[in-house]
């Protein structure tokens, strides 16, 4: 049954997405706000289809604070990369440069207002990332980063990438860790399963802490659901 649900979801969602993505260039010309509204409708469609076709529900624990803040999330599935953008009101998501180079997608992402992260982490890359982040803050938007740098399997807890500490220091914003449990029902590859995807919002961590302390607290926070 899970296989049939996965196949049906794939056909319906990605079939619809082909049409919606084809219209992105026209929507993007209207500006970032219009594109963000359009993107949130697309994400909402994904979440609705996941609920009613695959039986995947979303559970939110804790309070979602008003921004702007720096959200730091666990990343086990593509689902949270999309759903968190909707739940958090279109934050500026930190996205690796490789994705920004995809034709059309990269152009639309820049119009949407993402923050481009370069894994080289040199001075020029950090200045560019900070410029994008400041532009987001000027619009009153929060920032969302997945500080482990990549999708991981449930239970894995790699060290945070160095870019997180730099962004935390430069933005001088409270950090809200988000523990996520999604990979058990939405694996990177293979059949999706019925179940619950949980987002747990922890208490904000103040700005200005030493690097070792903020990294330890955020690492513990985003892995709060690992057990």
């Amino acid at each position: 049954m899970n296989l049939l649900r996965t196949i049906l979801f794939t056909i319906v969602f990605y079939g619809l997405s082909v049409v919606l993505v084809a219209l992105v260039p026209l929507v993007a010309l209207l500006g970032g706000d219009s594109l963000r509204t359009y993107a949130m409708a697309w994400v909402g469609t994904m979440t609705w289809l996941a609920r009613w076709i695959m039986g995947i529900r979303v559970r939110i624990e804790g309070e979602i604070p008003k921004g702007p803040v720096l959200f730091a999330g666990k990343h086990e599935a593509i689902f949270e990369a999309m759903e968190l953008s909707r739940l958090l009101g279109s934050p500026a998501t930190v996205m690796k440069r490789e994705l920004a180079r995809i034709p059309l997608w990269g152009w639309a992402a820049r119009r949407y207002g993402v923050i481009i992260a370069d894994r080289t982490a040199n001075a020029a890359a950090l200045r560019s990332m900070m410029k994008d982040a400041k532009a987001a803050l000027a619009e009153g938007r929060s920032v969302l980063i997945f500080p482990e740098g990549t999708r991981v399997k449930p239970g894995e807890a790699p060290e945070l990438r160095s870019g997180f500490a730099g962004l935390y220091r430069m933005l001088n914003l409270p950090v809200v860790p988000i523990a996520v449990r999604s990979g058990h029902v939405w694996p990177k590859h293979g059949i999706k399963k019925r179940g619950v995807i949980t987002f747990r919002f922890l208490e904000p961590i103040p700005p200005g802490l030493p690097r070792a302390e903020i990294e330890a607290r955020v690492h513990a926070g985003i892995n709060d659901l690992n057990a």
Side-chain angles (χ1 to χ4, degrees), residues 50-187:
R51 173 69 180 90
W52 295 107
I53 293 179
M54 294 192 298
I56 295 177
R57 296 178 289 111
V58 173
R59 178 169 60 210
I60 299 174
E61 298 178 356
E63 298 292 329
I64 303 177
K66 302 296 182 181
V69 299
L70 174 58
F71 290 101
K74 186 72 177 177
H75 192 13
E76 292 185 352
I78 192 64
F79 183 89
E80 62 265 10
M82 299 172 66
E83 177 65 1
L84 280 175
S85 66
R86 186 179 71 88
L87 291 175
L88 304 180
S90 300
T93 302
V94 177
M95 185 175 74
K96 58 185 179 181
R97 186 170 295 278
E98 292 86 345
L99 294 176
R101 289 171 176 162
I102 298 175
L104 180 60
W105 172 265
W107 174 79
R110 289 182 180 276
R111 294 284 292 179
Y112 175 91
V114 300
I115 298 172
I116 305 300
D118 194 323
R119 291 183 179 180
T120 60
N122 57 35
L126 290 174
R127 284 195 298 269
S128 177
M129 187 169 70
M130 191 57 194
K131 180 181 177 182
D132 291 339
K134 286 183 176 179
L137 293 180
E139 296 179 345
R141 300 169 67 201
S142 291
V143 174
L144 170 64
I145 186 172
F146 297 100
E148 291 174 335
T150 188
R151 277 182 287 181
V152 299
K153 295 178 181 179
E156 293 182 347
E159 294 299 315
L160 306 189
R161 295 292 181 89
S162 60
F164 166 75
L167 191 64
Y168 167 77
R169 183 180 65 254
M170 290 186 290
L171 292 180
N172 196 37
L173 291 174
V175 181
V176 177
I178 309 171
V180 178
R181 188 168 185 264
S182 60
H184 63 297
V185 298
W186 198 294

Side-chain angles (χ1 to χ4, degrees), residues 16-29 35 38 104 107:
L16 181 61
S17 294
V18 169
V19 178
L20 295 176
V21 171
L23 297 174
V24 163
L26 295 177
V27 179
L29 292 175
L35 185 57
Y38 188 79
L104 180 60
W107 174 79

